[in-house]
Amino acid sequence: MGSSAIQGELWGSAAADWTQLQEPSSVPLWEAMLTAAGVGTGIRFLDAGCGGGGACVMAAARGAVVSGLDASPALIAIAKARLPVADFRVGDLEALPFADGAFHSVIAANSVQYAADPVTALKELARVCAPRGRVAIGVWASPEQVEMRHVFAAVRAALLSPPPGEGPFALSMPGRLEQLTTQAGFRAISSGEVDCPFEYANVDALWRAQRSAGPLQGAMRAAGEAKIEEAVRGAVRRFVKPDGRVRLENRFRYVVLSK
């Protein structure tokens, strides 16, 4: 079974909140990845794991011919409403519903680590990328560069048993992403890091944004919403400013690949 059966339902549970409250924090990462992948006028572009279509809107503004894929029908519905001319589809990263060599530029921002089989997902990204095209993969940077690690640790500690998989930093360890991309038939062209601070008006706003994420939805179903909310609020207490705002400094890294 691929990733969409599980991830689609989780990420779609609070799709509007995710799109409005949390996705915009990724704008600096999207901008860097779109540039690194050479997205511009006339470029056939795919966002694999497009969520509510934020990066796709940015690609369209650059003149690209846009396609997007996500596991969540609810998020795809939002993306279609935002960019009706684009080709948005619901599907699996491990079985992309696109032809071989269909795209000049592909990005996957914080999506490959949620695939049931990341190597297969990467092979699919290679398959749909045209010769001499570019694929940019974005993941969390190393944990010490990510203040969200405190939230992840608190949620994990609130669960009776650890969730399956390697967690949000599965592809963040040194050399891990490069190893998997080599297995998938890629060669690395370049890489970079981008700061994406998460900032909220107050802790209530942070909680509403964070609970919309797929992993938090899964954790709430396992341990109950009240327990997970308590864990998250406790973890972010140290990041509350005197005026009540909350800001967590986070860094992401990306690798640009070619076949």
Side-chain angles (χ1 to χ4, degrees):
M1 181 177 67
S3 58
S4 65
I6 297 171
Q7 297 297 338
E9 201 276 330
L10 292 175
W11 287 94
S13 296
D17 280 354
W18 173 258
T19 303
Q20 296 166 15
L21 304 177
Q22 189 57 45
E23 272 195 347
S25 297
S26 295
V27 166
L29 176 63
W30 295 338
E31 189 70 45
M33 292 176 69
L34 291 172
T35 297
V39 178
T41 302
I43 292 295
R44 299 193 306 273
F45 165 78
L46 171 66
D47 184 352
C50 66
C56 291
V57 171
M58 294 169 63
R62 290 171 172 237
V65 179
V66 174
S67 296
L69 174 129
D70 201 86
S72 165
L75 286 170
I76 287 293
I78 293 172
K80 287 180 176 179
R82 298 172 76 183
L83 198 61
V85 298
D87 177 12
F88 289 110
R89 306 185 190 184
V90 177
D92 245 318
L93 287 177
E94 297 95 328
L96 295 174
F98 301 103
D100 294 358
F103 304 102
H104 302 112
S105 298
V106 179
I107 70 167
N110 256 10
S111 58
V112 172
Q113 66 262 44
Y114 294 108
D117 184 342
V119 172
T120 297
L122 289 167
K123 288 180 178 179
E124 278 292 275
L125 297 179
R127 179 185 66 78
V128 302
C129 184
R132 296 180 298 280
R134 292 184 179 183
V135 176
I137 309 295
V139 298
W140 294 100
S142 56
E144 65 271 14
Q145 297 175 293
V146 177
E147 290 184 339
M148 274 293 294
R149 71 184 184 275
H150 298 288
V151 175
F152 300 148
V155 170
R156 187 177 181 89
L159 300 173
L160 291 176
S161 58
E166 299 179 71
F169 297 112
L171 302 182
S172 303
M173 299 300 103
R176 175 65 168 163
L177 179 57
E178 288 78 2
Q179 176 190 5
L180 295 185
T181 55
T182 298
Q183 291 178 36
F186 281 116
R187 60 184 177 87
I189 297 175
S190 63
S191 62
E193 294 188 347
V194 183
D195 289 323
C196 293
F198 290 3
E199 190 162 7
Y200 310 92
N202 49 50
V203 176
D204 288 343
L206 177 146
W207 169 243
R208 185 178 168 195
Q210 286 298 315
R211 74 178 298 281
S212 68
L216 267 289
Q217 287 289 323
M220 289 190 295
R221 293 173 194 197
E225 181 166 351
K227 188 173 182 179
I228 299 302
E229 180 176 0
E230 180 182 10
V232 171
R233 286 178 180 271
V236 302
R237 193 173 295 123
R238 73 187 76 183
F239 303 111
V240 179
K241 308 299 181 184
D243 63 359
R245 290 181 302 110
V246 188
R247 182 181 172 99
L248 293 88
E249 302 295 339
N250 301 301
R251 180 165 292 182
F252 291 83
R253 67 182 297 260
Y254 62 89
V255 176
V256 184
L257 309 162
S258 185
K259 293 190 289 185

